[in-house]
Amino acid sequence: MNSSAIPISILTGIDDAEIVARKAFLEFTGADVALLKKLHAHLEAQRDPFSEVFYRHLQHFPQLLPLLGNTEKLERLKHTLSVYFSQLTEGEYGAEYVENRLRVGMVHQRVGLTHQWYIGAYRKYLHELMPAIYHLLEGDEKKCIATYSALLKIVFFDMELALDTYFYAEHQVIVREKRFSKQIIDDMPSGLVVMDTALNVRMVNKASLNMFGLDTAETFVGQSVTQIFGTSKNLTNALENVLESGEMRSGLAFERQDMQGHKYYLANISRALTEEGQTLLFFMVSDITAYKKAEEHAQYLTQYDALTGLSNRSTVYDRIDFACTLSRRGENAVAIMLIDLDRFKLINDNLGAALGDELLKQTAARLSSCLRESDTVGRTGGNEFVMILLSMSAAADAAVVARKVLEALAAPFRIAEHQLHLTASIGIAVAPGDGVTAQELLKSATAALRQAKIDGRNQFCFFQAEMNQRSQRDMQLDSGLHKAAENFEFELHYQPKVDLRSNEICGLEALLRWDHPERGMISPATFIPLLEDNGLIVPVGTWVLRTACAQARVWQSMGIKPCCVAVNLSAVQFHRQDLCQVVKQVLGETGLEAKYLELEITESIIMRDVERAVQTLRELKSLGVKLSVDDFGTGHSSLNYLKRFATDVLKIDQSFIRDITTDADDAMITRTIIDLAHNLRMRVIAEGVESAAQLAFLLRNNCDELQGYYYSKPLPVEACTALLKEGRKLSLAAD
Ligand code: C2E
Ligand code: MG
Ligand code: MG
């Protein structure tokens, strides 16, 4: 409720009982009321004599003139005043009268009329009324005294009320001032605790209550300050020093543990003397926990990687330096392992940085689980981790850890709705043999890592002296590859696939060739990983697709019996959003019917993110192209998935075919894959068939097709054209 709506009599505490009490004090009785009423009738009969007289009187006081205003305002005031004085004798002095008097009093007080003016006004009123009473009562002494006494009583009653409004208004000002000061002290951003000389709390503001997790000020006022701060010697000493010396103490840092955790504070302490001569201590304090934490975090970030919490690059390098010192002293064999997540960029680009980050965090956790007490693991770059292995008894210990790391990473990673298969390549350098400084050791580990990648990734490789030369060569290769890719200095060879029922060519696989100006023919197995790393695989892959489709059209136009041309897709191509679009466009441009194009995707590419792969395979399938799973048997497919791939052909990896005639396991695996493919209504083809014995085995086990040197090596276009024209059948003669 707004205070102006509350009756002033209530605010000032003048209720009915108080009115009765006051009247009793003044001996104001019904007889007085009767006398006043009589006087009133007489006064009313005179035409407003008092207000005129009164205003003339007021005009003698220049300080009142501004309050009287112009003629119009003066007339209004005169009227108000005549009503006011007339009510004095009206004879109604109950609650309504009191409320009205108080309200007028408040107005007067607000416009600046002081209480002296009130008293002066009543004095004038009484003075002016004396002759009127005398005349009314025709000089009867007793009656005159009685009426005058009644008038005095009501005038004093009124004056009391006027003074009440003044007290009330003044009290209000004090209350407001007090509230204002309290609010300022409470809302101060820093905490304020006022103490007496015994270090007992006299006052705490709201900020300090919040800061120290205290509930109400009342609980602490009067208590010793140690209640709030605990018994920190440092703090009590500082308080006592200021108390004794009077010298202000600033920047006092202290810490405190409370329910909300460990907190840091900074305080200023000063001594003050009150007007009453009391000595007080002012303790002004700020909570600097957030600042401290930020500082600690900044310090942490100089040593640790913010994402994974592992040691960061500079810490790792420092530790390698330290490890090198140990190895120079001959105390321990020390190894460093450079761990690079294979094709991480692909995952990051396709799934987005947030999931990529999550993958790195999970990787960090798995790597940490492979550590021994004395080892360190750190993250030195995007997807590059370093392990420092101290106190190894032999270099072979590093191989044990490396194997452990590869195993730890082999289990699929669950990230959001994805199940990702990740592998890593590891380069190992051992001090002091492979380097005696951090720089040398890292260089050697980098060369070993490169070799592990070239060797097919998902493996570790120890540094060997000739690697430095080799990595030099690889760098040259990489720059040569850039040029070749820009100018498409590649060619395609085609390797026939043969149907084992008709013994005729039923398809051709396009295989990329790079004839290096100095090094001759380089295997795609060497340069395709490099193209994948530098991103050039995308334009080169599209070139392969277009060239193979165009070539198939050429053969068709030469009247050669149409057969499917197969193109290999790299992981990078397979995971690009625009793959279907590109395939569709190439088919459109070359005019090749979709059913004559086959896309080979290795099992390991598909298994890297099965859900996405299933989706992509379905989209490709809807274009009408054929799909085959390349290198089948090497990529940990589960039967469950295989059903969902919508592929047409399984290509049994050549590593199984190589020894089918001598190795019972490989023979069994091959037989199983053939049965499996047939059960899933897929065709099955054996890769790398080199001998009639292998062919005989495949025939016995109902394999559908073969591809391999036994029938033909991959051939340049002209040779392949000749072979197609010739239509040579597969010879079944045993060798
Ligand atoms: P792949 O797709 O499994 O191709 C079969 C590989 O086995 C080819 O090696 C082929 O020459 C070889 N090969 C065929 N028959 C025999 C045989 O009887 N004995 C032996 N020992 N090897 C045989 P190549 O041409 O060196 O290609 C290696 C891999 O490079 C391919 O494996 C494929 O994954 C990749 N590749 C080739 N061309 C391309 C391409 O245009 N794009 C992509 N992304 N990858 C390609
Ligand atoms: Mg292939
Ligand atoms: Mg293959």
Side-chain angles (χ1 to χ4, degrees), residues 491-493 495-496 509-513 522-529 531-532 537 540-541 543-545 566-573 600-602 605 630-632 651-654 657-658 686-691 694 707-714:
E491 58 182 286
L492 291 184
H493 284 191
Q495 187 176 33
E509 177 173 7
L511 293 159
L512 191 56
R513 295 291 176 262
I522 295 177
S523 161
T526 308
F527 69 83
I528 283 182
L531 287 179
E532 284 184 331
I537 190 67
V540 172
W543 175 85
V544 171
L545 191 66
V567 170
N568 292 285
L569 289 184
S570 87
V572 178
Q573 281 174 290
E600 296 193 5
I601 302 118
T602 65
I605 294 177
D630 205 352
D631 302 346
F632 188 76
K651 297 189 76 178
I652 309 175
D653 190 64
Q654 44 182 285
I657 306 300
R658 197 172 302 128
E687 295 185 284
V689 178
E690 294 184 352
S691 70
Q694 289 166 334
Q707 180 181 351
Y709 297 169
Y710 180 73
Y711 179 76
S712 168
K713 289 201 165 185

